[in-house]
Amino acid sequence: MLQSVKEIARSISALDAKAAAAAQQHLDSLTKPPGSLGKLESVAMKLAGITGQVTTSFPKSAVVVMAADHGVCAEGISAFPAEVTPQMVRNFLAGGAAVNVLARQAGAEVMCVDIGVGADIEHPDLIAKKIRYGTGNIAVGPAMSREEAEAAILVGFEIVKQAAARGVGCFVTGEMGIGNTTASAALMSAFTGIPARETVGRGTGISEERWRHKVGVVDRALACNRPDPADPIGTLAKLGGLEIAGLTGVILGAAANRCPVVIDGFISSVAALAAQRIAPESAGYMIASHVSQEQGHAQLLSHLGLEPMLHLEMRLGEGTGGVLALHLLDAACRIMAEMATFESAGVSTSHEDAKDGTSESGGNEL
């Protein structure tokens, strides 16, 4: 029997502080100056807090690519037509998209979900969970009903629950939906109060004139829908996309199953913000993969209290940045499991006056 979103939120617990502290102690015992591996050490501690284990690994990882269409495309806010969404879904299923290439390199599974594509797609590998054929035009009314938003969240949750039951231990958020940067900008403005001119980006590469038009569309969406940021599900229903709501469920599902969830770009981070507003403890399970070129993403990560690992000037989405970050998670796990301690290697520890991680010569190397 499906849980309600409220029940899912209540089931998410805080990170294991004892395991994180033990991981810190182990890191400080390794043959290196304290803190010298930077963000890899922070990731290792976070993974310990998530899993409750000082050393861990994730032999099975999956990127969940949620796909849906957006009625706001009727406002001419994208450089690409809405038909691209189902075309790209077929590309994912054929293994030809960027996320497929990068997932193969990382050894991750790609799970492609039709949660609201505006066309019928049949493929043996497609996870068919269509709630409706795209959302309504948010510039003139709500994207979907509250019931549809909740259903989309539950789809994401159940997909993660089932994948975790077969051994998937780490999840990456991915998405596809022409028009979804407009919905995401509207959601970011609604949740944070940041004006549309600072949350609306270039998306698929629009002109200055179309960007100004896109800002106006987001302003209209906020004015006509009047979202209440204290009601995250209602805000998702008024302004979001089905794939954004689905990813919100993926993030909540990962947290409920004590699995790390690697957040991709701008759209995924908006879903992460919605998840955090629904269940504040879920933020502890999020790992920011990169900061994208989309305007507003850096501010969005700041609101979530997340530090991105990569700065690659990417803006593709699909889960591409998130899959690249899996290599860094693997590196953090290997450091914890394979690196020698000062004691086991017979290496002398630093002098008391060099505990800040610097050597007598001023460097940060052994």
Side-chain angles (χ1 to χ4, degrees), residues 118-135:
D120 289 314
I121 303 171
E122 292 186 10
H123 191 282
D125 296 328
L126 178 68
I127 301 174
K129 298 289 183 180
K130 196 190 302 287
I131 290 170
R132 56 182 279 179
Y133 288 84
T135 51

Side-chain angles (χ1 to χ4, degrees), residues 21-315:
Q24 177 69 78
Q25 187 175 13
H26 180 69
L27 284 163
D28 290 344
S29 75
L30 300 178
T31 49
K32 61 175 181 58
S36 57
L37 285 175
K39 290 181 182 178
L40 283 182
E41 298 196 25
S42 301
V43 169
M45 287 177 59
K46 192 163 195 173
L47 293 176
I50 289 170
T51 63
Q53 299 174 341
V54 173
T55 59
T56 187
S57 64
F58 304 99
K60 288 186 179 181
S61 298
V63 52
V64 183
V65 181
M66 289 277 180
D69 277 303
H70 293 256
V72 75
C73 285
E75 300 295 327
I77 41 76
S78 176
F80 286 87
E83 304 89 78
V84 169
T85 302
Q87 291 167 356
M88 279 302 300
V89 168
R90 294 184 181 96
N91 193 20
F92 295 137
L93 294 166
V99 71
N100 299 105
V101 175
L102 297 176
R104 283 195 291 270
Q105 182 193 23
E109 175 186 0
V110 176
M111 302 173 68
C112 187
V113 185
D114 173 7
I115 196 167
V117 179
D120 289 314
I121 303 171
E122 292 186 10
H123 191 282
D125 296 328
L126 178 68
I127 301 174
K129 298 289 183 180
K130 196 190 302 287
I131 290 170
R132 56 182 279 179
Y133 288 84
T135 51
N137 183 353
I138 60 174
V140 298
M144 64 190 105
S145 70
R146 187 182 188 91
E147 292 73 24
E148 288 167 336
E150 289 183 341
I153 292 170
L154 292 174
V155 164
F157 174 81
E158 285 296 321
I159 285 171
V160 167
K161 182 180 177 181
Q162 292 170 18
R166 59 180 175 82
V168 176
C170 181
F171 294 87
V172 178
T173 58
E175 42 62 42
M176 179 62 217
I178 298 300
N180 62 9
T181 57
T182 300
S184 295
L187 284 167
M188 180 179 173
S189 289
F191 281 130
T192 66
I194 297 171
R197 64 180 179 274
E198 295 180 34
T199 64
V200 173
R202 302 285 173 173
T204 49
I206 57 176
S207 65
E208 177 71 20
E209 182 181 0
R210 188 171 283 185
W211 175 81
R212 288 195 297 268
H213 169 65
K214 188 174 173 181
V215 170
V217 168
V218 170
D219 281 334
R220 284 166 53 200
L222 293 167
C224 78
N225 284 291
R226 301 180 65 184
D228 176 7
D231 176 14
I233 297 175
T235 299
L236 275 172
K238 288 179 176 180
L239 299 172
L242 289 157
E243 82 280 36
I244 298 171
L247 287 180
T248 300
V250 166
I251 295 163
L252 294 174
N257 285 278
R258 300 198 72 88
C259 296
V261 57
V262 182
I263 308 301
D264 186 37
F266 182 61
I267 293 101
S268 289
S269 297
V270 166
L273 185 60
Q276 185 262 344
R277 295 298 174 91
I278 292 168
E281 296 289 3
S282 68
Y285 296 81
M286 303 174 193
I287 296 172
S289 59
H290 74 121
V291 60
S292 79
Q293 288 292 85
E294 189 71 4
Q295 181 179 237
H297 192 206
Q299 284 192 80
L300 191 51
L301 292 175
S302 179
H303 270 270
L304 285 163
L306 299 177
E307 281 281 335
M309 289 186 286
L310 300 168
H311 294 70
L312 297 175
E313 300 182 359
M314 296 172 68
R315 54 181 178 85

